[in-house]
Amino acid sequence: MKRTLKKMKDHRAAFGVCSGIAYWIGAPVWLVRFAWVCSVLFWGTGCALYLILAVFMPTWEKDPADFDQVTGHKDAA
């Protein structure tokens, strides 16, 4: 199954952008968030890009069933 780039509805900290990117590329969510924070702190470009993606990126109706497996995310339930 080909993964698509969409924001997450349930697995999110702010708008679900980093969780969506992590699922799309198959990386851990914490790593994508860390990279995003570094891009904001060191280059300043991440903030504007994050806001653009938060507004224009589509959202999953229901988060993919394989999200935890693909990203290595452990739900804190």
Side-chain angles (χ1 to χ4, degrees):
M1 179 176 99
K2 184 178 177 183
R3 294 187 294 263
T4 58
L5 179 59
K6 294 183 179 183
K7 296 184 289 189
M8 293 293 155
K9 191 177 238 180
D10 298 326
H11 296 94
R12 62 188 206 174
F15 294 103
V17 173
C18 289
S19 295
I21 291 172
Y23 177 73
W24 183 52
I25 64 174
V29 176
W30 69 267
L31 185 61
V32 174
R33 288 181 180 145
F34 179 75
W36 210 277
V37 168
C38 288
S39 74
V40 170
L41 293 177
F42 296 113
W43 300 287
T45 57
C47 194
L49 182 59
Y50 188 89
L51 291 174
I52 290 168
L53 289 173
V55 171
F56 294 108
M57 186 184 230
T59 305
W60 286 95
E61 289 297 319
K62 181 179 177 196
D63 287 353
D66 64 341
F67 174 81
D68 292 333
Q69 182 182 8
V70 170
T71 63
H73 184 265
K74 305 267 191 289
D75 207 1

